[in-house]
Amino acid sequence: MSTENEGTAVPPAPSAPPVPVDAPAASTPQASEAGAPTTPIPPVPPHASGGAQGPELVHAGPAPAYASAEGGAQQGASGAPQHPGPGPEGAWPPPQSPGTPLYADGGAGGAGGAWGSGYQQPAPKPKNGRGGLVAAVLVAALVAGGLGGGLGYTLAKDNDNGSSTTLSASDSGGSVKRDAGTVAGVAQKALPSTVTIEAESTSGEGGTGTGFVFDTQGHIVTNNHVVADAVDGGKLSATFPNGKKYDAEVVGHAQGYDVAVIKLKNAPSDLKPLTLGNSDQVAVGDSTIAIGAPFGLSNTVTTGIISAKDRPVASSDGSGSNASYMSALQTDASINPGNSGGPLLDAQGNVIGINSAIQSTSGGGLGGTSQSGSIGLGFAIPINQAKYVAQQLIQTGKPVYAKIGASVSLEDSTGGAKITTEGAGGSDPVEAGGPAAKAGLKPGDVITKLDDHVIDSGPTLIGEIWTHKPGDKVKITYERGGKTQTVDLTLGARTGDS
């Protein structure tokens, strides 16, 4: 998940994945410390099922934030949502709060601006520092090695009575065969279809991220925050492992989903799209392979497993205005700044997610920057959701979000997602004639389940809603006046990020 973006954190989602109501909830240990540039993963509000809680949520301000599956944000001339300060309960996107995982490609707090690997050259090391000490140790080791070799040769020569036997090593270690199911086999097949993306704004700021080939027409899927700086007149390029570099343009981007599609200019005719898997069928313990450019080190392959599913994650680029929500796949494959937008593969080489964010504990020390690295908690957007978003962006250039037509609070003190008493900008909290209104939902109702998924906060509800498509029918469980009720609801649609 996340990079070193600092600033006002978005209202976070809890760290514990929703579980069926009749299943015991597992306790999630805290994985981060306060003060980290990549803010700790959002804590968990009291669980709807009465299970264990995760880390405590921390908010940037006293006023409760507002989240809605359909709420829009005010935009400035650049098209990006503007938030001059803590917004009212109905503001969207909500202000960032401490405890929010940031994007996995670096951010404003890092050396590369909004990226995991910027263009800034590292400062030269002192001549008499650690480097000199290492050199001295190496020289001493070489001298000792030479001395030992000389003594060994002398002793052997003195003891040689002509009867010594010389053993020769085998001329060949055998043929090397990398089966398709091995990590090496998967990497060999997938690497040619991944790219390192360089994005630069009109002011010259930028850095690197990752993407992968989506189709033969030259469309590349990546994260929104990887290409955000290049949207309004910036520069964008994609480089393949064979060194071939292509200029590119943004086809469409979805800030809420954190998904973007770019297209190569003069794309080659031999593009091989990666095979897309089924993220709904992924199980905890499945092997994973991540490909990306951590800290600018292109074409890096790391491995791990799926360590959790349906992890509610609210992430931000650190600006306080670009909040993304997902019900993420969690993996312990090493993901670092620069991995953003890269594919998370299964053992057969199918894409099951888009690496988007990490949880981190430290404010820096890696490579002389303020960026911190992987602690084994990475988060990926499930590919089933990302595929739908990418197809919408290619077709229309704009994202389409599912919605329930109600404003929900991001307070962390409730046992679910509470419908607020006031909507964004003074609008009605329950949209007249919308899905929630038709289902009979009212302000003050607390939504505790969506289908079989436990809802313990507003961000969790948003992340779950956005795993669906407009028109999908879902079952909403809510509490009103101490009584639990269940209704069927057909999700509506909202187009665009505004």
Side-chain angles (χ1 to χ4, degrees), residues 432-443:
K438 291 180 180 179
L441 295 176
K442 299 179 179 180

Side-chain angles (χ1 to χ4, degrees), residues 386-410:
K387 176 183 176 181
Y388 163 73
V389 177
Q391 290 172 339
Q392 290 291 329
L393 294 176
I394 292 172
Q395 292 172 9
T396 68
K398 296 182 179 180
V400 178
Y401 297 89
K403 69 173 186 177
I404 64 170
S407 304
V408 293
S409 173
L410 295 186

Side-chain angles (χ1 to χ4, degrees), residues 288-292 300-304 331 333-335 339 342-345 355:
T288 57
I289 301 170
I291 300 179
T300 295
V301 177
T302 57
T303 63
T331 180
S334 182
I335 297 174
N339 276 102
L344 183 69
L345 309 170
N355 301 318

